[in-house]
Amino acid sequence: MHVVAATGRDDLARVYIAQAGPGRHVEFVESVQPPLPREKKWVLVVSCLFGCPFSCRMCDAGGKYQGKLSREEIDFQIDYPVRKRFPNGVIPSEKFKIQFARMGEPALNPAVLEAIAALPGRLKAPGLIVSLSTIAPAGCGEFFQRLLEVKESFRPGAFQFQFSLHSSDEQKRRELIPAPTWSFAEMAAYGRRFFRSGDRKVTLNFALAEGYPLDAGALLSWFDPACFLVKITPVNPTVRARENGLRPVFDGKRRDGETAERLRRAGYEVIVSIGELEENAIGSNCGQFVRSFLARGADARPGESYSYGLEALAAGD
Ligand code: SF4
């Protein structure tokens, strides 16, 4: 595995593409949260699959599935930025978060469990926090059971877990995520097992798009605010979202305070995450950069290095 392209800015987000063989590309990201320096907070987002067998309507990673990453290939996406930023291998960041949330549904790859389990012993990172985000595919019960066991080796609060819901209406969710997944009842039951005292609550993530409701009452009937929190983000302007006519309910200019307020009144802790608008230009939304890279015929020139300017990505090239 080697890095064949990179874009972005050191003071916000850098997206890398790594190649493991012909047609096998993944993207991974390192980011900081201005104005915090890297020593305060540093976030890595790593891929778990080459592409993804699912085709969520807002995600550029879907389709063209080329298989699972090996444990070594997952480790590479962590070790590469660590070596680059902290050559002595000591990661001083007070909060060093590694998100298994990028290209590919993590629950489809058992090597993700091996990679996560090894992290506390492998990295010199006192601020380590792991986060895993999933659509909760059906048939992955063994993965999720083992995840509960792996979590036990992390201190309370150092392992975060997120279900990507996107709507409180299960039927509408199936339109956005056309894959067999757990029901809300199954997710609620698992979340209750996952959450322990001292943990961050299990996150219910909503990338809100017009026509896909987030109703506090509907959510309450399944998810207890004592162990679930709600995170609202705008649906990102990916190629797939545009093709599918998904329009954000809110963005940096239009903030959706009402939805957040209703959820808070229902008892939920709510995080509204607009993100840095420039991240869209950088292409750090899932699958955006690798899609752009492959559209340029990168496979025809293996081994060559690429570095695209922000302007090109902002122009939607
Ligand atoms: S959102 Fe996740 S599960 Fe859906 S296509 Fe993208 S990577 Fe796959």
Side-chain angles (χ1 to χ4, degrees):
M1 189 111 133
H2 59 287
V3 169
V4 293
T7 191
R9 286 177 15 201
D10 284 348
D11 62 350
L12 184 60
R14 262 203 185 278
V15 191
Y16 302 95
I17 292 183
Q19 184 169 11
R24 286 162 72 87
H25 296 87
V26 286
E27 58 184 32
F28 58 101
V29 180
E30 57 158 330
S31 71
V32 291
Q33 191 181 323
L36 300 179
R38 188 167 282 107
E39 285 68 24
K40 280 274 176 205
K41 184 175 179 186
W42 190 35
V43 178
L44 307 184
V45 191
V46 303
S47 289
C48 304
L49 306 175
F50 295 100
C52 185
F54 301 135
S55 295
C56 300
R57 295 184 67 196
M58 75 302 283
C59 177
D60 283 350
K64 294 193 178 167
Y65 175 56
Q66 300 285 333
K68 300 168 187 174
L69 272 78
S70 66
R71 156 80 194 280
E72 291 70 28
E73 288 161 344
I74 295 170
D75 288 351
F76 175 88
Q77 300 168 79
I78 297 164
D79 296 345
Y80 182 87
V82 166
R83 270 199 306 272
K84 185 171 172 182
R85 303 295 174 194
F86 303 108
N88 67 358
V90 180
I91 302 146
S93 312
E94 283 174 28
K95 200 172 188 186
F96 172 47
K97 189 165 175 178
I98 304 178
Q99 296 183 345
F100 291 79
R102 191 77 195 165
M103 286 181 69
E105 163 56 49
L108 299 183
N109 187 355
V112 167
L113 293 165
E114 290 172 39
I116 293 175
L119 285 174
R122 211 170 69 71
L123 297 179
K124 295 183 187 114
L128 176 67
I129 296 173
V130 166
S131 167
L132 186 138
S133 177
T134 179
I135 63 164
C140 294
E142 194 180 328
F143 178 96
F144 290 115
Q145 178 56 41
R146 282 191 56 210
L147 192 69
L148 290 172
E149 293 154 20
V150 167
K151 176 186 178 247
E152 289 308 310
S153 56
F154 286 76
R155 64 187 155 79
F159 203 123
Q160 300 175 354
F161 185 81
Q162 173 171 299
F163 285 123
S164 300
L165 290 195
H166 306 318
S167 176
S168 58
D169 179 321
E170 288 200 78
Q171 205 59 43
K172 296 295 278 184
R173 180 180 190 256
R174 268 192 280 278
E175 283 177 28
L176 287 172
I177 303 177
T181 65
W182 279 354
S183 64
F184 283 179
E186 289 169 300
M187 291 185 212
Y190 183 80
R192 281 194 299 271
R193 292 176 67 203
F194 196 92
F195 178 68
R196 292 273 184 276
S197 172
D199 282 347
R200 173 162 146 164
K201 291 176 186 174
V202 171
T203 302
L204 306 174
N205 180 238
F206 295 85
L208 285 183
E210 284 179 7
Y212 295 90
L214 168 47
D215 177 74
L219 214 55
L220 266 181
S221 58
W222 297 111
F223 300 103
D224 182 354
C227 53
F228 293 92
L229 66 80
V230 177
K231 182 171 162 198
I232 308 173
T233 58
V235 68
N236 287 319
T238 57
V239 174
R240 197 63 70 78
R242 281 200 295 267
E243 283 171 358
N244 286 314
L246 296 178
R247 290 158 47 87
V249 170
F250 70 106
D251 54 30
K253 295 182 191 112
R254 288 182 302 155
R255 296 190 178 236
D256 189 10
E258 265 179 46
T259 305
E261 212 32 62
R262 275 198 299 273
L263 289 160
R264 286 193 184 105
R265 278 201 299 272
Y268 288 108
E269 186 183 334
V270 182
I271 299 170
V272 180
S273 176
I274 307 288
E276 295 291 329
L277 293 180
E278 198 173 350
E279 285 184 14
N280 294 328
I282 291 171
S284 65
N285 296 314
C286 184
Q288 240 183 326
F289 187 36
V290 85
R291 187 176 173 129
S292 165
F293 177 77
L294 294 177
R296 287 168 159 85
D299 262 353
R301 292 160 289 177
E304 207 172 313
S305 284
Y306 295 79
S307 183
Y308 300 136
L310 303 187
E311 302 77 14
L313 285 159
D317 281 353

